[in-house]
Amino acid sequence: MNEAVSVVLVDDHTLVRDMLHERLTREGIEVVGLAASGEQAVELASAARPDVVVLDIDMPGLSAFEAARAVRKASPETRVIFLSAFVHDRYIDQALGAEASGYLTKSESPEAIVKAIRKVHGGAMSYSLAVLDRIVVDKGGARLANGSKSKSRTLTEREWEVLGYVAKGMPQKQVARLMGVSVKTVQHHVMHLMEKLEIHDRVELAHYAIREGLIEA
Amino acid sequence: MERPAKDPTSEGRRFGGVTLAVAAVLTIGMFGWQAYHLYESYQAVAERDSGECPTRAVEAAYSAGERLDYLTEEIEHSLFLWGADATASPLPELAARYDATETELVLALEQATRLSKGKVLEAVEDLEAAHVPLHNHVDGVFRLVESGQSGRAAAEIAGSQFLGLRSDYAAALNGMWTASRLHLVEQLDKERRTEVLSVGVALGLFALAVGAWGVFIGRIRRGQNRLQQEERQRRRAEEDLLQAQKMDALGLMAGGIAHDFNNLVTAIWGSATSARQQLADGHPALSAIARIENASEQANGVVRALLTFSRRTESSRAPVELGALIDETVRILESLLPASVAVEVDHPADTKLWVLGDCTQLQQVLMNLALNAHEAMPDGGRLLIRGWHCTEKSDDDPRAVIEVTDTGEGMSAEVLARVFEPFFTTRAPGQGTGLGLSIIHGIVTDHGGRIRVDSVQGSGTSFFINLPAIEPPLHDPEIADAPSIIGHSRNELVLLAEDHQHVREIVAETLATAGFRVLQSASGAEFLDTFNSRSDEIQLLIADVDIPAPNGVECIRVLREAGVDTPALVITGMPAPGLEAELDGVASVLRKPFTMTKLAEVASDLVRGAPV
């Protein structure tokens, strides 16, 4: 008999969320919450303190990676698995940065997702061999070797986060509110990242973010 | 400070200006010269026509002198024949004519003296000198006649003095004539020489002016050509930009569609498999569910293709030698293509075409292009796959180019303009997704390359793939073993100490994937406790230096002092020089950053007793 696992499912696509809900429930996994955004996920996880949070990466609002950090802060025992339609080095790199326990793609079978949840709950990790092969451990923790192209490597975590929001067309005021910083700080980050990337136009910035897999079109 | 680069346009403009100025000056000089000589010639003609000309004056003097000489001879004959009755003779009339002609001569000589110069003037003066004694002598004869001494007059005129004076006069007259003719000839000669010089200089100026104009017009022509060429290049760049923007927009759109579509397919597929599991074997709905699963799988394929086109899929980057890739692809193609398609391969044997890319994706590009080429040649033909090096004009960067050319049907301009668009196909409905060339475009663009297509309807099509070239790698990746964390262990038990939970779990996962069994501990104390409880089984110790006390090095030292000789690996992120020497014979050292592959290799070597 499998040990009881409590899970919060976070995906803005209702169909996917419902399908997984139904499937996990049938497999004996207790789905203690369903969320459609990062903010909801943090809220639910803080209240329910689930064993595992399954987080879709591309969702409106708060970045999934920030949500993962907030979840781990609110509930340190909760383990996070990212679920995405895409395999991007940048995503994996950020998932490692957010200390996620696994990274799955939506093309994997529901069985694989169930297996991963159980594995992660058992204290193991769920990264593919290809990803494990490329992980580098350094002073700061784990990251992906050659995780992203040279220019993007120069951005800080904060700048990456701002880039994600700005490229989505979010006003700076909203970004500041979401990140809990002043508008001036956001402007500072935007200025810095534009300088680093040598991009001086928001449309180009959005294109860049899409190419880097930071946001989906 | 950096010197500003020379502006070739302004330099060219300056040169054009100088050429124009030279051409203009030469032209003006040529016309000025001609005008001057025209004026000179006109002056000379006018002078001659006006009579104010020394030659004409000399001619008039000569004519009067000759006539005077003739009249003198007539007077002599008349006196000789009519000596007794001189007054009845024609002598009076002759005397009157003599006076008139003599006046004419004196006037003509005066004019000739005034106008002449040099030798002609000397000759004129000689004639004047010869004329005066002759005239005085004839006057004396007339006076004798008038005084009735005709006989004496006749004797006087037939005397030797008269003969001498006439002879001198005739000689001076001839001398003047000759001097005048000589002068005339010299003058004409001089004029002709001046004319030759003038025409020569004019012709020279004309030639230079024509040359300068030629250079100037040539420059204008070249400028026009360059402008036209620049215009063509600009138009081409604009077309390329438009095409790139179009493909970018299509990529964004396709990526967006693929993202949503992917979620839908995930939900459909997951729900279908879920339904299948809940139905008993032989349930009539199972076949319908199988069809849903099948369709979902196909839809997933389309999503993958769209993602590749929109450059959303992950691709690995490793040095790829395009020559070898071409050969490998051709080997596969030979079994796929009919004998009627002759495949020709051409790539440099001496220099290799290295690029940084995803070998599988690049092979997919070549295969798709070759299979498309085959479809364009249903009755067979020639398929050429070539590779070569070139240099980018704009930045001198080395590039590697692959050309795939067929002798097939070719494409119309309309098809050519849309050939890379997703879902654009010339095939019959249901016979193709129209994603093949879009995927190729996506892959090439993702590799930092460009793809260009040339096609002539009825003659064939050529695709050119231009990729950034790289230096040949030091080790041939095909020969080197691909490093992996798999298969490094045969179930040995490892004790791991690392306080950073995420790192510890990743390291543990890596070791587990490599085939080890792993015991995890978050502190030195926990590490020692765990070892003490399972010391018989543990075959490898891995400890981070920086863990809660005792630290990793201290832990290993404690165990060594207790006589434990299990191989040990110390991990450190600190610079700590000399740690290896310090731990020589105690433990091996692995410094951060390190890859998981390296960790698996080191762990494997340690349990086998191999030196690290």
Side-chain angles (χ1 to χ4, degrees):
Chain A
M1 180 70 195
N2 281 320
E3 203 186 328
V5 187
S6 59
V7 171
V8 166
L9 276 177
V10 192
D11 197 316
D12 60 322
H13 289 82
T14 318
L15 276 175
V16 177
R17 204 171 57 223
D18 290 349
M19 184 273 289
L20 282 174
H21 181 196
E22 190 265 347
R23 194 59 194 265
L24 296 184
T25 310
R26 210 151 41 74
E27 295 285 343
I29 293 172
E30 190 193 354
V31 178
V32 294
L34 295 169
S37 70
E39 289 95 332
Q40 276 182 25
V42 177
E43 222 171 277
L44 269 177
S46 310
R49 297 185 164 259
D51 296 319
V52 178
V53 171
V54 177
L55 256 176
D56 180 26
I57 288 180
D58 188 54
M59 288 186 298
L62 185 70
S63 126
F65 304 106
E66 282 312 303
R69 284 197 184 90
V71 165
R72 301 258 307 147
K73 204 172 162 193
S75 171
E77 295 306 311
T78 300
R79 302 168 73 78
V80 175
I81 296 177
F82 282 108
L83 185 64
S84 170
F86 309 101
V87 185
H88 286 304
D89 278 6
R90 186 63 220 165
Y91 278 1
I92 297 168
D93 205 23
Q94 283 187 288
L96 286 169
E99 302 198 342
S101 301
Y103 187 100
L104 300 171
T105 64
K106 287 186 178 173
S107 57
E108 278 172 88
S109 68
E111 284 89 344
I113 296 173
V114 170
K115 218 172 133 189
I117 290 173
R118 290 203 185 285
K119 192 178 173 191
V120 162
H121 179 238
M125 291 269 167
S126 184
Y127 284 101
S128 70
L129 177 65
V131 171
L132 274 183
D133 266 337
R134 290 174 58 206
I135 288 179
V136 170
V137 165
D138 61 19
K139 274 184 273 178
R143 63 173 170 84
L144 203 62
N146 310 318
S148 36
K149 288 166 189 132
S150 54
K151 268 190 207 164
S152 60
R153 258 263 161 247
T154 60
L155 298 194
T156 63
E157 285 295 336
R158 274 314 225 191
E159 283 164 356
W160 267 111
E161 198 187 343
V162 172
L163 171 61
Y165 297 137
V166 172
K168 275 180 186 167
M170 220 182 255
Q172 291 187 342
K173 243 186 199 170
Q174 200 184 333
V175 177
R177 211 169 36 238
L178 207 59
M179 292 176 69
V181 295
S182 71
V183 176
K184 213 167 173 190
T185 311
V186 173
Q187 285 170 344
H188 196 69
H189 284 314
V190 171
M191 197 181 76
H192 269 259
L193 71 92
M194 279 182 155
E195 264 173 23
K196 284 181 184 176
L197 300 175
E198 291 170 29
I199 293 174
H200 304 285
D201 147 2
R202 280 174 79 127
V203 178
E204 258 307 297
L205 208 59
H207 278 199
Y208 178 81
I210 291 165
R211 275 203 304 275
E212 282 291 310
L214 192 60
I215 57 164
E216 295 307 332
Chain B
M1 212 173 106
E2 202 175 315
R3 278 176 60 156
K6 271 189 182 175
D7 178 5
T9 325
S10 72
E11 207 169 291
R13 217 174 284 147
R14 213 174 304 133
F15 184 77
V18 170
T19 319
L20 176 64
V22 169
V25 166
L26 284 170
T27 309
I28 292 168
M30 183 189 79
F31 280 115
W33 181 267
Q34 293 287 43
Y36 167 69
H37 280 277
L38 187 69
Y39 173 75
E40 271 219 322
S41 306
Y42 170 77
Q43 284 283 90
V45 171
E47 194 180 61
R48 264 175 228 162
D49 285 351
S50 69
E52 283 293 302
C53 163
T55 310
R56 284 197 187 278
V58 169
E59 271 176 4
Y62 180 76
S63 162
E66 265 210 320
R67 271 182 285 127
L68 201 67
D69 187 41
Y70 171 74
L71 282 172
T72 311
E73 201 177 351
E74 282 287 294
I75 289 165
E76 185 194 337
H77 286 172
S78 181
L79 276 174
F80 183 71
L81 290 173
W82 301 82
D85 190 10
T87 47
S89 68
L91 200 65
E93 192 213 329
L94 284 173
R97 277 171 61 195
Y98 178 88
D99 280 343
T101 309
E102 206 268 333
T103 309
E104 208 179 312
L105 174 65
V106 169
L107 285 174
L109 281 176
E110 267 173 21
Q111 197 182 16
T113 307
R114 185 165 51 84
L115 294 174
S116 299
K117 280 187 285 191
K119 293 234 160 108
V120 180
L121 180 63
E122 278 173 28
V124 170
E125 282 168 352
D126 284 350
L127 181 62
E128 264 183 332
H131 163 250
V132 172
L134 182 67
H135 175 64
N136 291 340
H137 192 82
V138 173
D139 262 0
V141 170
F142 279 139
R143 273 195 299 275
L144 286 175
V145 172
E146 278 168 15
S147 61
Q149 300 175 63
S150 298
R152 210 177 140 194
E156 197 62 42
I157 215 158
S160 60
Q161 192 193 358
F162 179 70
L163 277 177
L165 288 171
R166 262 201 70 199
S167 169
D168 288 348
Y169 176 77
L173 195 62
N174 276 335
M176 187 190 73
W177 178 250
T178 308
S180 167
R181 288 296 108 180
L182 269 176
H183 171 72
L184 188 64
V185 167
E186 265 174 25
Q187 203 178 15
L188 286 175
D189 221 30
K190 198 174 144 196
E191 275 175 17
R192 213 163 290 134
R193 267 200 296 276
T194 312
E195 227 167 83
V196 167
L197 181 73
S198 167
V199 171
V201 172
L203 271 177
L205 281 172
F206 184 69
L208 284 173
V210 166
W213 282 110
V215 171
F216 181 66
I217 291 167
R219 276 207 76 79
I220 291 178
R221 280 261 171 84
R222 271 201 301 281
Q224 275 176 335
N225 286 345
R226 204 181 50 237
L227 275 180
Q228 279 171 355
Q229 204 183 344
E230 279 171 5
E231 177 64 18
R232 275 197 298 274
Q233 280 173 347
R234 195 180 58 77
R235 225 177 290 149
R236 174 124 199 190
E238 268 175 10
E239 279 168 16
D240 286 352
L241 182 68
L242 267 181
Q243 178 73 3
Q245 283 173 338
K246 187 175 80 178
M247 298 311 287
D248 232 24
L250 283 170
L252 288 180
M253 196 183 74
I257 292 170
H259 178 225
D260 284 337
F261 201 57
N262 192 47
N263 277 302
L264 295 175
V265 172
T266 305
I268 294 169
W269 184 49
S271 301
T273 51
S274 186
R276 180 166 45 77
Q277 285 176 354
Q278 291 173 63
L279 294 176
D281 284 351
H283 193 284
L286 279 177
S287 62
I289 288 173
R291 281 199 297 279
I292 295 174
E293 285 177 324
N294 194 16
S296 305
E297 231 163 85
Q298 282 184 27
N300 204 28
V302 173
V303 169
R304 298 281 127 214
L306 276 176
L307 289 175
T308 308
F309 165 66
S310 58
R311 291 145 57 193
R312 304 289 177 80
T313 49
E314 201 52 56
S315 57
S316 61
R317 290 285 183 274
V320 178
E321 207 280 296
L322 294 179
L325 189 78
I326 291 173
D327 292 341
E328 167 73 20
T329 311
V330 168
R331 264 196 296 282
I332 301 169
L333 283 171
E334 273 164 359
S335 59
L336 294 172
L337 298 178
S340 58
V341 175
V343 183
E344 283 178 34
V345 179
D346 178 23
H347 55 80
D350 46 345
T351 53
K352 295 196 164 186
L353 302 162
W354 287 101
V355 297
L356 198 62
D358 185 311
C359 190
T360 315
Q361 287 192 342
L362 291 175
Q363 188 161 50
Q364 187 187 355
V365 167
L366 276 182
M367 286 291 289
N368 277 8
L369 287 179
L371 294 174
N372 276 358
H374 167 224
E375 272 181 39
M377 303 185 287
D379 303 323
R382 200 166 65 95
L383 169 64
L384 171 68
I385 305 181
R386 291 205 299 159
W388 70 84
H389 276 294
C390 76
T391 306
E392 192 80 337
K393 273 184 197 160
S394 54
D395 50 18
D396 273 356
D397 279 349
R399 312 285 286 194
V401 182
I402 303 182
E403 174 192 346
V404 178
T405 292
D406 66 58
T407 54
E409 298 156 353
M411 290 182 262
S412 66
E414 294 76 34
V415 172
L416 211 57
R418 301 184 58 192
V419 77
F420 294 115
E421 287 179 21
F423 301 115
F424 176 77
T425 180
T426 53
R427 293 179 192 152
Q431 287 190 2
T433 57
L435 284 171
L437 285 173
S438 311
I439 291 172
I440 289 172
H441 187 278
I443 292 174
V444 172
T445 314
D446 199 32
H447 279 73
R450 292 191 307 273
I451 182 161
R452 185 167 66 80
V453 53
D454 284 346
S455 188
V456 178
Q457 213 160 7
S459 309
T461 304
S462 294
F463 283 91
F464 298 92
I465 296 160
N466 182 312
L467 297 168
I470 56 162
E471 290 289 311
L474 294 174
H475 304 289
D476 197 329
E478 283 179 352
I479 302 163
D481 288 333
S484 173
I485 54 180
I486 284 187
H488 281 281
S489 161
R490 287 184 294 274
N491 216 24
E492 289 94 346
L493 187 65
V494 180
L495 175 56
L496 168 69
E498 163 68 67
D499 64 331
H500 191 301
Q501 187 199 352
H502 190 245
V503 171
R504 185 176 70 242
E505 286 174 354
I506 283 177
V507 169
E509 180 69 24
T510 303
L511 292 170
T513 309
F516 293 96
R517 286 175 296 131
V518 188
L519 295 172
Q520 299 184 33
S521 50
S523 68
E526 195 185 344
F527 177 81
L528 291 175
D529 284 349
T530 313
F531 182 81
N532 289 333
S533 62
R534 300 182 72 172
S535 57
D536 296 345
E537 296 169 70
I538 291 169
Q539 289 163 281
L540 177 63
L541 301 164
I542 300 178
D544 192 278
V545 172
D546 195 19
I547 51 171
N551 72 32
V553 173
E554 287 163 358
C555 285
I556 304 295
R557 285 200 190 281
V558 167
L559 293 180
R560 290 283 181 263
E561 278 162 20
V564 174
D565 60 355
T566 310
L569 178 67
V570 167
I571 294 172
T572 180
M574 298 296 147
L579 187 64
E580 284 84 353
E582 188 191 326
L583 293 178
D584 189 28
V586 178
S588 300
V589 177
L590 182 61
R591 287 185 180 272
K592 291 177 185 177
F594 58 85
T595 63
M596 293 301 100
T597 315
K598 177 75 181 166
L599 173 76
E601 276 172 7
V602 171
S604 169
D605 289 344
L606 282 172
V607 291
R608 289 199 189 109
V612 178

